[in-house]
Amino acid sequence: MLVAGIAAAESVRIATFHTELSRRGPGLLARDLMRDRAADIDAILATIVQATPDIITLHDVDWDAGLVAATAFQTRLARSGWDMPHLVARRPNSGMATGLDMDGDGRVGRARDAQGYGLFSGAGGMIMLSRYPILSVDDYSDVLWSGLAWARLPRVDGAPFPSARAQGAQRLSSVGHWAVAIDTPGAPVTVLTHHATPPVFDGPEDRNGLRNRDELLFWARWAETMETGAYVLAAVTNLDAKRGDGLRDAWAALAPHFQDVAPKSADADGVPSDVTARFEQPGPLRTTHVLPATGCPVTGSGLIWPEEPRGLGDRRFTRHALVYVDMVPDGCGERGAGIGALAVGQ
């Protein structure tokens, strides 16, 4: 539901984009960014320039200790015509070795035995870019899954799966959970972001489904502590509220705190217009969400599909759209007084 009578100039455009830029080894993305010869990078940059976001979270961008890839991407974006001088990039859980068998297959040291799936440390991380100064970053990425009283951890025959030791070491976040406060004109806004594990690729214990649920539910619990202020969830939830696999009760928990102005594609291309991911299997899904807090005026929303580049060879291009919402941070009221509360499965 959009608010009439709010000037577009007062709004802030907040976006998120599952880029699928991650490479097969450490340093390869930084190399490609600096060589300036990768067609998929050019297409991702062009999509961001077209969207003109004030704040954007980019998912599936490899992290390195020197932030070489992140700053190279930031520089390339500025050269492409859209300057976002403020950056957040933290080491992700994806690819972070545990030394334990985390998926119960009896082996260690594999991609699924990391804190989050990843072929190497830093694989498939997140970066946030902003046109406005960053005030603070609350990084919850090291929160233990078993340390949350409301969590539902996997069990088999009444025992922790894959083991009590593995569960004791397992972090909630597949990639990361950040709450980033940004000094936008009029009022600060806190951008909440995470990239959840898909609720598939597991067994009857439903390890990934339970973790996906709790990764999203984390923000409902976070929002319960907030009575006023502007915040927005901009994340790859990997959980469609109506279609595909997953445990959907987390959406009901988010409903009092977030509103859903479902984005519509200008070129739906034969799929439902709110779809943000085009998969062959299980089919089109809405896996990326930008959800302003209840009580925050919204002046617009949308999604943009990147143009498929030529010359990629066997490299997979992103199956995802950039999603954005225009909101007015200084118009946010008390929780519960907002418009368009999150409608789940409707």
Side-chain angles (χ1 to χ4, degrees), residues 18-302:
H18 189 172
T19 68
E20 294 196 277
L21 285 177
S22 182
R23 294 331 199 214
R24 293 185 176 276
L28 297 182
L29 179 59
R31 176 203 65 187
D32 290 348
L33 281 160
M34 290 186 290
R35 284 182 175 177
D36 200 7
R37 289 203 308 259
D40 58 338
I41 293 172
D42 291 338
I44 295 298
L45 290 166
T47 305
I48 298 170
V49 172
Q50 180 183 351
T52 64
D54 295 302
I55 303 163
I56 188 168
T57 305
L58 303 172
H59 300 268
D60 214 5
V61 178
D62 297 335
W63 176 92
D64 57 82
L67 303 187
V68 175
T71 54
F73 189 96
Q74 184 184 39
T75 300
R76 288 279 302 277
L77 183 61
R79 282 167 38 199
S80 299
W82 194 248
D83 190 17
M84 305 188 79
H86 306 284
L87 167 71
V88 177
R90 299 288 179 89
R91 183 185 179 187
N93 288 338
S94 44
M96 184 183 293
T98 64
L100 301 171
D101 175 12
M102 303 299 280
D103 64 349
D105 68 353
R107 294 175 287 186
V108 299
R110 300 166 68 87
R112 298 186 192 279
D113 297 317
Q115 285 289 357
Y117 180 89
L119 298 174
F120 55 90
S121 180
M126 308 186 300
I127 64 175
M128 188 179 294
L129 296 169
S130 174
R131 294 179 60 220
Y132 306 119
I134 293 165
L135 298 173
S136 64
V137 181
D138 291 331
D139 189 348
Y140 303 105
S141 305
D142 61 354
V143 170
L144 293 178
W145 190 7
S146 61
L148 301 170
W150 44 264
R152 289 172 55 189
L153 280 80
R155 303 182 73 85
V156 171
D157 297 329
F161 177 90
S163 67
R165 186 181 178 195
Q167 282 196 3
Q170 179 69 77
R171 297 179 175 187
L172 171 68
S173 301
S174 301
V175 178
H177 275 72
W178 305 342
V180 182
I182 297 175
D183 191 19
T184 66
V189 62
T190 299
V191 181
L192 314 173
T193 193
H194 75 288
H195 185 158
T197 187
V200 289
F201 309 122
D202 53 16
E205 82 289 342
D206 200 17
R207 174 178 179 259
N208 291 339
L210 291 168
R211 190 179 186 187
N212 174 282
R213 165 202 181 264
D214 286 353
E215 288 189 87
L216 182 58
L217 188 56
F218 181 88
W219 294 125
R221 299 296 181 240
W222 182 95
E224 287 172 358
T225 69
M226 303 295 292
E227 295 181 358
T228 60
Y231 57 87
V232 56
L233 175 61
V236 177
T237 67
N238 271 321
L239 183 66
D240 191 309
K242 298 178 289 186
R243 300 165 288 241
D245 293 314
L247 303 171
R248 307 189 206 285
D249 57 320
W251 287 118
L254 261 69
H257 310 290
F258 297 90
Q259 56 183 310
D260 186 11
V261 184
K264 302 295 183 183
S265 172
D267 177 18
D269 195 23
V271 300
S273 60
D274 67 337
V275 159
T276 67
R278 293 168 173 162
F279 298 118
E280 292 186 10
Q281 292 293 334
L285 295 172
R286 186 183 179 193
T287 57
T288 300
H289 292 80
V290 182
L291 307 173
T294 302
C296 291
V298 174
T299 62
S301 66

